[in-house]
Amino acid sequence: MHPLALRRADRSDLQGVLTLLADTAEWLHSKGVSQWPRGGFGPERIEPLIEERVLYLLDDELRYLDPDEDVPPVATIALDDHADPEFWAPADDPGAALYVHKLAVARPWAGTGLGDALLDWAGATAWASGRRWLRLDCAKRNPGLQEYYRRRGFQHVRTVDLPHRASGALFQRPAQDTLVAAFRDLTLPELIGA
C-alpha cells in the first residue's frame, strides 16, 4: 500500500475533487443508485466546502515524487456541523454531532478500507470537538450502502422520504476516540502549527 496523507483541500484541488466525485457518481449510477447527480457536482457545490475548510483529501504521498504529474486524490470527505434541516429536527439535537458529506474513494482504491478509516477519523474528530455523535445520510434505496454503515457501527435513526431528494436514510454512531493508522493526519494542530 502506498503511504497516504490526509489534508484540507485548497482551491487548487477543485478539479481533482470534481473528477473524483463525478467518477463516483457515475459508478453509483452504473449500480442503479442515484445518491448523487449523474456527472457529479458542479463547482458551486464544492467550492464552499473548500472555502469553509471542511473538505479533506486523502493523497497518495508518492505523487510528490513527480510534481509535474496531475494525480487526483485517493479519497475525499467533508466533515462539518451543518445539520441538514430537511433531515435533522431540533429534537435530534443537531449541535451534538458532526456530519459526514461527500465521502468518496477512487475506484482503484475501493475495498482497501479507506472509507472505514475516514469514518473512524471523522468519529475521532467529532469526539475531540466534544460532540456526542457522528451522523450522515445516504440514499433511501441503497440497501447495500446502508448495510455498510450498519457494519461500521452506525444505527439507522429514520428515513425521511422527500420526493425531491434521493437521500434521506439517516444514520448515526457515537463519536469515539479512535486511532487511525491507515494514513498520516496532516490536519492535526500540532503538525500544522494551528
Side-chain angles (χ1 to χ4, degrees), residues 21-153:
L21 294 175
D23 291 348
T24 302
E26 191 56 40
W27 176 77
L28 287 168
H29 279 271
S30 76
K31 301 291 182 193
V33 178
S34 59
Q35 168 91 12
W36 289 346
R38 187 161 214 151
F41 298 94
E44 70 282 355
R45 292 282 303 273
I46 304 307
E47 286 172 333
L49 300 174
I50 293 172
E51 293 299 317
E52 292 175 32
R53 301 184 46 77
V54 298
L55 185 67
Y56 300 87
L57 301 182
L58 198 55
D59 287 327
D60 179 350
E61 291 190 283
L62 294 182
R63 76 185 182 104
Y64 298 112
L65 296 176
D66 188 356
D68 295 330
E69 181 89 17
D70 186 23
V71 179
V74 169
T76 185
I77 186 172
L79 184 66
D80 61 32
D81 60 358
H82 304 317
D84 189 321
E86 288 192 318
F87 293 153
W88 300 99
D92 295 317
D93 191 10
L98 289 183
Y99 298 82
V100 170
H101 316 277
K102 311 295 183 283
L103 174 60
V105 176
R107 292 296 88 210
W109 294 84
T112 61
L114 293 179
D116 298 351
L118 286 168
L119 288 171
D120 288 345
W121 169 83
T125 302
W127 181 85
S129 72
R131 308 303 169 98
R132 184 173 174 209
W133 301 105
L134 179 64
R135 291 178 174 158
L136 54 84
D137 62 87
C138 69
K140 298 174 281 196
R141 292 178 182 86
N142 188 345
L145 183 57
Q146 292 179 31
E147 183 56 31
Y148 167 76
Y149 288 129
R150 283 185 177 95
R151 286 193 314 269
R152 295 297 304 136

